[in-house]
Amino acid sequence: MITVRYFGMVAEKLNKQEEKLDFTEVQLPVALIDFFKNRYSSLEKMSFVTAVNHTISNELNSLDGIEEIVLLPPFAGG
Amino acid sequence: MKKSLVEGPISPQFIADSIAKHQTKTSIGAHQIFLGQVRADEMDGKTVHAIDYSAHEEMAEQAFHTIREATFELFPLTCMHIYHSTGEVKAGEICLFVFVSSAHREASNKAIVYLVEEIKKNVPIFGKELFEDGTHVWKENK
């Protein structure tokens, strides 16, 4: 199981900040943005990037050592 | 790793104290400071009264660290400090404090512009603009 964390507008749309997902049945490599847009129709029109183990990446190639996937909506710092 | 995220607004006193601490560093000849302040934007007849900032804290601190290292590589700076708020910051309060110092003005002048742009582009911080009536919109850097 991989911890998936949601932030900002994405967390609000899904009404949750975190969940555990089982990726063992998912055919790899997988494009994460498409994966989450297919899984959650409410994200279909949203803009976000994904990060795997704290590095921004849209690709999940392997489950080895993968602890966290995050969905990050547009940044608004400053 | 130096921490940049701070809870709540950045007080003018904190900024003044930070300037005062540099008076002993006499190799410095130029400081540049950028202060980001929450703006009371108007949208559809409603006024923003605060921004509630949240972040992926580990990624944000890592991004600040990477930006700091890159900036030191690019410009001959003596020192650099970056603070960004999390939580609620009211209109008129400071949410970002960037402070660079160098021997001569050119380095700090250029570094401050570079730093602020990098922070806005690359740090995973999210902002919920809160209206007086309890509604909100999500801010997005352009």
Side-chain angles (χ1 to χ4, degrees):
Chain A
M1 300 290 263
I2 295 176
T3 301
V4 181
R5 294 171 70 195
Y6 305 106
F7 288 85
M9 198 189 318
V10 173
E12 182 179 273
K13 273 272 186 234
L14 297 179
N15 203 24
K16 58 185 157 193
Q17 299 194 322
E18 187 175 322
E19 65 183 325
K20 302 266 186 201
L21 289 183
D22 184 2
F23 280 81
T24 52
E25 302 292 314
V26 177
Q27 193 178 351
L28 301 179
V30 65
L32 289 168
I33 293 173
D34 288 344
F35 173 84
F36 284 100
K37 287 192 173 192
N38 287 332
R39 183 178 175 89
Y40 294 114
S41 57
S42 57
L43 298 184
E44 209 176 331
K45 288 180 181 159
M46 282 193 58
S47 171
F48 61 89
V49 295
T50 53
V52 179
N53 285 0
H54 296 181
T55 301
I56 290 180
S57 168
N58 184 30
E59 284 231 342
L60 183 65
N61 297 311
S62 151
L63 300 183
D64 289 344
I66 305 302
E67 291 174 2
E68 184 190 81
I69 292 171
V70 297
L71 277 66
L72 307 170
F75 301 167
Chain B
M1 199 162 70
K2 278 174 87 168
K3 273 198 75 179
S4 290
L5 295 175
V6 291
E7 177 63 32
I10 297 160
S11 73
Q13 191 59 54
F14 180 83
I15 295 161
D17 290 346
S18 189
I19 296 167
K21 281 181 194 161
H22 288 73
Q23 290 182 329
T24 55
K25 299 184 181 181
T26 50
S27 64
I28 293 170
H31 297 298
Q32 270 289 0
I33 288 175
F34 177 87
L35 301 176
Q37 173 169 301
V38 171
R39 198 174 46 239
D41 273 346
E42 277 197 32
M43 281 175 250
D44 302 325
K46 296 188 290 188
T47 306
V48 172
H49 84 97
I51 298 181
D52 184 15
Y53 288 104
S54 57
H56 185 304
E57 295 200 2
E58 301 95 322
M59 282 186 72
E61 294 291 3
Q62 184 59 52
F64 280 123
H65 177 74
T66 303
I67 293 168
R68 187 179 286 118
E69 296 291 300
T71 309
F72 270 126
E73 289 282 319
L74 287 169
F75 307 99
L77 298 174
T78 311
C79 60
M80 182 187 328
H81 305 275
I82 306 170
Y83 298 96
H84 197 297
S85 300
T86 57
E88 199 170 307
V89 182
K90 293 187 175 62
E93 292 181 328
I94 303 297
C95 59
L96 173 62
F97 170 32
V98 185
F99 185 5
V100 293
S101 311
S102 53
H104 303 283
R105 67 184 182 284
E106 188 183 5
S108 47
N109 283 352
K110 287 183 175 168
I112 199 86
V113 174
Y114 173 81
L115 266 171
V116 173
E117 293 307 309
E118 289 296 301
I119 291 166
K120 284 183 171 273
K121 260 191 294 186
N122 295 317
V123 183
I125 292 174
F126 316 102
K128 188 157 71 165
E129 294 181 303
L130 309 173
F131 299 108
E132 296 282 2
D133 65 359
T135 59
H136 68 264
V137 293
W138 289 93
K139 182 175 177 270
E140 185 174 334
N141 285 342
K142 302 292 178 216

